[in-house]
Amino acid sequence: MDLSSLPLFVVACLAINMIPGPDVIYIVSNTMKGQMASGIKAAIGLGVGYFVHTLAACLGLSAIILSSAMAFSIVKWLGAAYLVYLGAQSLLSMWRGSNKIVVEESTDTNKNIFIQGLIVSVLNPKVALFFLSFLPQFIDTSTDLVSLQILILGLLFSTLATVCNVLYASAGTWLFSKSNSKQFSRALEGVSGALLIGLAGKIAFTER
C-alpha cells in the first residue's frame, strides 16, 4: 500500500458515501421514527456490518492474490469498471433529476435498530461486491502484507462510512425535509459521480 495514495483513497471513500442511497434512507427513516439516537444506532449497526465485510474481503482477496496474479488483475479491472458504472449511475440520476431520497415519517419504532442495521449491512450483496471491487485498486501486491493492507483500508473505509452515516443521522432529517432537498441530492450525486469516474480513469492510466 503506497501511503501517497491514501489521500485519494479517502477522497474516493467520501465520494462514495456522500451519494444518498438505501443506507441513508434507512438511517434518516429511523431518525424520523424515533429521535437522533435511533439514527445513530442504525449508522453504527451498518458500520459494524462494513467491518464484517472487511474481514470477508481479507480472506477472499488474499486467496485470489495467492492463487493467481492474473485472477487478481481481472478482479481489479472489473472493479474499476464497476466504479465507472456507479459514477455513471450517479451522473445520470443527477441529469434526470430523479431524487432517491423518499423518507416517510412514521410513529413505529424498532427496539433492535442496531442489530437490524448490522443484518441489513451484512446480508447486502452489493456491499460485498463493492468491497471486492474497490479495495483492490489500492493494494500493493509486491509485498507480503496483502491481508494487512486490506484490513487497514477496510477499517478506514468503514470508519469514514460510519462518520458520514452519523452525520446523516444528525442532519439528514433537516436536510431532506427542506424544499431544496432535491437540488442538494442532485449536487451530491454529480460531485460523487465525477469523482468515481475520475478514480477509475486514474486506475486505467496509471501503472501500478
Side-chain angles (χ1 to χ4, degrees):
M1 177 176 60
D2 185 1
L3 292 179
S4 64
S5 67
L6 276 181
L8 178 62
F9 179 80
V10 171
V11 170
C13 289
L14 294 175
I16 291 160
N17 287 292
M18 281 195 313
I19 301 174
D23 286 356
V24 173
I25 294 174
Y26 173 71
I27 291 165
V28 176
S29 295
N30 275 287
T31 300
M32 295 179 71
K33 289 176 184 178
Q35 51 188 349
M36 188 185 300
S38 297
I40 292 175
K41 287 179 182 178
I44 295 174
L46 290 168
V48 174
Y50 300 151
F51 175 69
V52 173
H53 282 287
T54 296
L55 296 179
C58 280
L59 297 175
L61 288 175
S62 296
I64 291 173
I65 293 168
L66 290 174
S67 64
S68 168
M70 176 65 74
F72 180 70
S73 294
I74 292 173
V75 169
K76 182 177 174 180
W77 282 99
L78 288 176
Y82 184 59
L83 293 178
V84 172
Y85 169 77
L86 290 177
Q89 287 289 96
S90 293
L91 292 176
L92 283 174
S93 180
M94 178 201 69
W95 179 261
R96 294 170 180 168
S98 53
N99 187 14
K100 297 179 182 177
I101 303 299
V102 180
V103 182
E104 296 183 359
E105 195 166 353
S106 171
T107 56
D108 295 334
T109 59
N110 191 322
K111 295 181 179 180
N112 299 312
I113 296 172
F114 171 82
I115 299 298
Q116 187 181 63
L118 173 61
I119 293 173
V120 166
S121 179
V122 170
L123 298 183
N124 187 348
K126 290 184 178 180
V127 177
L129 176 61
F130 172 76
F131 267 76
L132 289 174
S133 62
F134 183 64
L135 295 184
Q137 316 306 331
F138 299 90
I139 294 172
D140 181 4
T141 56
S142 65
T143 72
D144 297 328
L145 302 175
V146 171
S147 295
L148 180 60
Q149 291 180 68
I150 297 172
L151 179 61
I152 292 172
L153 292 175
L155 288 175
L156 181 56
F157 175 87
S158 300
T159 300
L160 291 171
T162 302
V163 169
C164 289
N165 287 340
V166 168
L167 289 176
Y168 270 122
S170 304
T173 302
W174 174 76
L175 285 174
F176 298 118
S177 63
K178 293 173 69 68
S179 59
N180 62 344
S181 62
K182 186 172 182 178
Q183 288 80 0
F184 172 75
S185 179
R186 290 180 70 182
L188 285 180
E189 288 168 343
V191 172
S192 299
L195 287 172
L196 288 174
I197 292 176
L199 171 63
K202 183 182 184 302
I203 292 166
F205 296 105
T206 300
E207 295 184 2
R208 297 183 62 82

